Amino acid sequence: QVQLVESGGGLVQAGGSLRLACAASGRTFNLYAMGWFRQAPGKEREFVASISWNGGTTSYSDSAKGRFTISRDNAKNTLYLQMNGLKPEDTAVYYCARGKKPLTITPSEYDSWGQGTQVTVSS
């Protein structure tokens, strides 16, 4: 089982940027698609973005498209989420996860999750 550790969250004003990172343990990071999800208080966990094993294909939710960029560095076993133009509605705990299937948006199709990092966007 891979261990995933997110970092980079924090408090930012609306319109600002943050870059989240997800460090993975082990030697199989480069074999799997990866994804970012988020969960706001009282809401279900929702898909944000996913990326194929080699970074060649990405997918975004409608809310993330055009503002967020998912990327990965397989040499560093690290997944990233660059978030620009942040809005108060982006406030949530952000999780990275390893996909059992390529580019899936369904949480149940991810088998390893990090502990999450809090992102708070003030208006």
Side-chain angles (χ1 to χ4, degrees), residues 26-103:
R27 300 182 179 182
T28 61
F29 176 76
N30 62 337
L31 300 180
Y32 291 89
M34 298 291 295
W36 285 100
F37 289 77
R38 67 187 184 186
Q39 188 165 17
K43 295 188 177 181
E44 293 188 353
R45 191 167 297 190
E46 66 171 355
F47 169 77
V48 175
S50 63
I51 189 167
S52 60
W53 66 274
N54 64 351
T57 306
T58 57
S59 178
Y60 297 91
S61 66
D62 287 344
S63 62
K65 204 170 296 182
R67 299 187 300 129
F68 295 0
T69 302
I70 188 172
S71 63
R72 65 191 299 164
D73 185 337
N74 285 345
K76 296 183 178 179
N77 273 18
T78 304
L79 175 73
Y80 301 100
L81 184 68
Q82 177 68 44
M83 304 187 294
N84 298 328
L86 283 162
K87 305 174 182 179
E89 52 263 43
D90 294 318
T91 296
V93 177
Y94 283 71
Y95 300 89
C96 64
R98 187 180 74 175
K100 294 187 285 187
K101 297 181 179 181
L103 301 176

